Amino acid sequence: MRRSFDLRAGLVVLFLAAVAGLGAVVWRTGYVQALQPLSQAGASDLTVAADRLVTQLSRYREFAVLMSDHPALWARRAGGSREAADAALIEATDRTGTAAAFFLSPEGRVLAASRPGDPRALTDPAVIMRAGQGALGAGLGTLEGERVFVFAAPHFGAAGAVAGALVVAVDLAALEREWRGSLPTVYFTDPDGRVFVTNRSELLYWRQDGASSFVAPDGRRFALGADAVGGLTIRRQQMSPYIPAEALYLTDALPVIGLTGHALIDVTEAKRLAGLQAAVAVALCLFFGALLFLATERRRTLALANQRLEDRVAERTRALSETNAALRREVAEREEAERRLTRAQAELVQAGKLSALGQMSAGISHELNQPLMAIRSYAENGAAFLDRGRPEAAAENLGRISQMAGRMGRIIQNLRAFARQEAAPATEVGLAGIVDATLDLVEPRIRSEGVAVDWVPPNAPVTVIGGEVRLGQVVLNLITNALDAMAESPERRLRIRIDGDDHGHALLTVQDTGPGIAEPERIFDPFYSTKAVGSGEGMGLGLSISYGMIQSFGGKLRGANAAGGGAIFTVELDRAREAA
Ligand code: ADP
């Protein structure tokens, strides 16, 4: 998590640095591009200013040349009055707006003047000397502290030789007045680098000293910075609040008037434009960068959520598998418990049977003893009849013996069947036969207890699906329970019936005249018994085992109290014919 955060922070910083770099490149390119038209406009401004200066000065140069040939000056040289010449010069200077005009002799003497003063103090003597040589002199100068431009035109005599010079001073301030304050800043310097003409008066008489400094008239020195941008020069200066601190610098030499023109064009606008372009580029980059960042963040968040979901699903799956395994284990344990229960039930059935056998053994031995005794006396009687020569009477006794032996055989057969543990599957069994066999088994008890048996076998045989031995056990259990219940009753009647119902069931009912069932809802509970505990009579298992067995044949065992007193038990089983 921390690592990925670091990585993202690093990427963001890298992106911001790239955007800053791009912004710088865009700014620089935009600046260079914006400077081009600025430099063209500035160059033409400078040309216009220079042309204007040159044109204005040219007028005065022509004036000097024309005026040098004025008749008044001819007259004055020929010895005419000074007043007339002065008047002509004054009139001409007044009309043309010239600051001063002096007519000098070749020796330098003032022959006429428009105003008082010494023309030699005006300017460099070389300027006037050029006129003496027949050429037109021109140069800068000062007249009573005012800047002037001086023209010196030769005055030619009749023979064509130089006979004098007319010196004309032009007030530069008057020329400047027209374009003062106009844009851009323009100034002209003399060969010494001094500012002599400018549209920014505060620059006057400043002197550029080399390439990197400007010197004010009071001697203060200002540093000049210069940068080259796209082949152009950008100057930085702090000379005056009216001169741009950062300006495109252009220069142009004017050999005609011996000056150099300079222009300083403010680059603030170009910078603003470049800044705007850079800002737009940076804003666009940041915008799309932010979009990209948001998109990747979104994807990252989704991926994280997905991962969490998958983890949770995996966890749930694991938990479910564990629960599943636990359930399987439980099912296996329950199956094992069920198997154990079935085994225990089978063992209990066997134990119950053995206990019943034990109970019955006294009666049975008595039952077997009785016919045995009878057989003995019949045998003795038979022998006596044979001795007496009465074979027919002996044969009758033998027949009785055979009957007795048959009865004993049946009793023993039933006992063996009862004791057998049945594992055979359910088959078709006749219900009436089972009732007969069971009654045979308990016959001695029925007789000794004086119970009336009301047993009417059905007209047609009724067969059901079940195990013969197990069904016998159920019927025996029902009959012995009935006999037990009637032990104290004055009337002892056992009613047994086999019927069918409309749904293809066989119904076997065993009804007694006992006191009835005390708690009908509990009789099928294992170990529920109302019989004397420890007497060996009841374990409370008979009905619950019987119930389980009938259920295993797909039938039902019900117990209830009969309307006229006593209990009635019903075994309901599917009839074999219908089942088949
Ligand atoms: P046991 O006979 O060992 O007591 P059973 O499961 O056969 O166990 O019977 C449980 C109980 O049901 C008996 O103790 C008795 O209270 C009641 N019972 C069963 N048959 C009858 C009946 N015919 N009349 C009244 N009560 C009965």
Side-chain angles (χ1 to χ4, degrees):
M1 196 67 199
R2 168 114 207 116
R3 268 186 69 111
S4 93
F5 178 76
D6 285 349
L7 190 72
R8 275 184 299 145
L11 279 178
V12 168
V13 167
L14 212 69
F15 175 74
L16 289 180
V19 169
L22 181 82
V25 169
V26 169
W27 187 87
R28 178 84 179 178
T29 315
Y31 188 39
V32 169
Q33 267 176 7
L35 282 181
Q36 296 309 324
L38 214 59
S39 103
Q40 280 160 15
S44 67
D45 279 344
L46 181 60
T47 309
V48 165
D51 282 354
R52 185 187 330 213
L53 187 64
V54 169
T55 310
Q56 283 170 332
L57 289 178
S58 301
R59 274 191 2 233
Y60 291 100
R61 188 181 59 187
E62 280 153 25
F63 164 69
V65 171
L66 288 175
M67 193 62 196
S68 68
D69 208 26
H70 196 277
L73 300 187
W74 276 90
R76 173 69 181 129
R77 195 171 46 80
S81 79
R82 170 149 182 180
E83 283 75 34
D86 281 352
L89 283 184
I90 288 168
E91 191 197 345
T93 51
D94 283 352
R95 281 200 185 168
T96 55
T98 311
F102 300 95
F103 183 50
L104 304 182
S105 70
E107 301 79 41
R109 207 156 37 83
V110 177
L111 295 179
S114 64
R115 56 186 291 168
D118 182 4
R120 276 165 303 193
L122 263 180
T123 180
D124 191 348
V127 173
I128 298 172
M129 253 154 65
R130 280 187 63 76
Q133 291 155 5
L136 179 71
L140 294 165
T142 38
L143 173 67
E144 293 174 2
E146 293 294 328
R147 288 166 297 134
V148 290
F149 199 87
V150 177
F151 287 108
H155 171 83
F156 296 103
V162 176
L166 181 70
V167 176
V168 170
V170 183
D171 184 2
L172 282 176
L175 294 188
E176 273 174 1
R177 214 163 285 138
E178 291 175 35
W179 49 289
R180 179 158 303 155
S182 67
L183 282 170
T185 301
V186 174
Y187 62 90
F188 295 89
T189 52
D190 67 9
D192 287 343
R194 205 141 48 109
V195 177
F196 225 84
V197 184
T198 176
N199 57 357
R200 294 288 187 280
S201 56
E202 65 267 32
L203 277 183
L204 268 180
Y205 302 124
W206 286 61
R207 191 166 52 80
Q208 186 169 341
D209 188 16
S212 60
S213 64
F214 242 101
V215 184
D218 57 12
R220 281 180 299 144
R221 193 172 273 274
F222 288 88
L224 283 183
D227 300 320
V229 177
L232 300 167
T233 306
I234 303 295
R235 254 204 192 169
R236 282 174 278 109
Q237 60 238 321
Q238 299 294 334
M239 295 184 295
S240 149
Y242 303 103
I243 297 164
E246 220 170 323
L248 177 63
Y249 174 69
L250 300 170
T251 181
D252 191 11
L254 303 174
V256 181
I257 51 173
L259 295 178
T260 307
H262 310 265
L264 290 173
I265 300 121
D266 198 351
V267 293
T268 312
E269 188 58 22
K271 274 190 153 176
R272 208 176 63 80
L273 216 68
L276 211 67
Q277 286 175 350
V280 167
V282 167
L284 278 177
C285 285
L286 286 182
F287 176 69
F288 285 110
L291 279 187
L292 198 74
F293 182 71
L294 283 182
T296 48
E297 275 299 281
R298 216 178 109 85
R299 260 183 55 184
R300 214 175 61 82
T301 312
L302 275 178
L304 270 179
N306 216 6
Q307 185 58 47
R308 268 204 293 276
L309 203 68
E310 276 173 14
D311 287 352
R312 265 175 56 190
V313 167
E315 203 176 302
R316 293 281 299 160
T317 308
R318 212 169 29 249
L320 277 177
S321 319
E322 277 167 16
T323 313
N324 214 2
L327 275 176
R328 269 178 222 275
R329 251 196 325 275
E330 209 167 300
V331 166
E333 278 167 14
R334 283 195 181 200
E335 278 171 357
E336 175 58 27
E338 215 170 273
R339 268 196 299 281
R340 275 206 299 268
L341 187 67
T342 316
R343 241 187 348 259
Q345 262 176 358
E347 283 164 8
L348 276 173
V349 169
Q350 195 59 16
K353 282 193 300 189
L354 292 179
S355 127
L357 270 181
Q359 280 172 40
M360 288 188 296
S361 62
I364 290 167
S365 52
H366 167 78
E367 198 56 23
L368 290 178
N369 205 31
Q370 211 189 14
L372 210 59
M373 299 304 279
I375 286 171
R376 195 169 156 188
S377 64
Y378 283 135
E380 284 169 2
N381 286 353
F385 280 131
L386 279 180
D387 284 347
R388 287 181 213 157
R390 288 179 58 190
E392 65 284 358
E396 194 202 323
N397 274 3
L398 284 177
R400 294 254 172 88
I401 287 172
S402 167
Q403 247 177 24
M404 292 294 157
R407 190 171 153 207
M408 286 173 78
R410 267 210 318 281
I411 290 171
I412 289 166
Q413 191 190 354
N414 282 338
L415 267 179
R416 282 227 310 265
F418 179 74
R420 207 163 59 221
Q421 230 178 334
E422 187 182 60
T427 52
E428 287 186 20
V429 198
L431 262 187
I434 288 173
V435 173
D436 281 333
T438 311
L439 281 175
D440 268 352
L441 210 56
V442 291
E443 213 229 289
R445 193 176 159 192
I446 288 172
R447 220 167 342 112
S448 71
E449 291 179 7
V451 175
V453 176
D454 173 9
W455 159 230
V456 182
N459 299 329
V462 173
T463 49
V464 296
I465 300 296
E468 191 171 1
V469 176
R470 282 171 287 178
L471 274 178
Q473 284 165 18
V474 172
V475 176
L476 178 70
N477 187 240
L478 293 181
I479 291 174
T480 47
N481 273 350
L483 295 180
D484 288 345
M486 293 187 294
E488 308 285 313
S489 302
E491 192 206 354
R492 300 173 187 174
R493 191 156 48 81
L494 181 65
R495 185 175 184 275
I496 303 175
R497 289 287 185 278
I498 292 177
D499 303 298
D501 71 358
D502 302 337
H503 306 293
H505 295 134
L507 301 175
L508 166 68
T509 50
V510 178
Q511 191 177 356
D512 61 56
T513 52
I517 305 167
E519 291 172 287
E521 68 284 350
R522 293 190 59 194
I523 49 172
F524 296 111
D525 291 350
F527 304 108
Y528 170 73
S529 178
T530 54
K531 294 165 193 173
V533 182
S535 69
E537 271 188 35
M539 283 174 63
L541 285 172
L543 282 181
S544 73
I545 291 170
S546 299
Y547 187 90
M549 285 193 286
I550 296 300
Q551 208 176 32
S552 74
F553 301 141
K556 284 173 195 150
L557 174 59
R558 287 188 292 269
N561 285 319
I568 177 164
F569 281 82
T570 309
V571 176
E572 180 187 308
L573 286 165
D574 288 335
R575 290 185 75 146
R577 222 165 293 145
E578 272 79 6

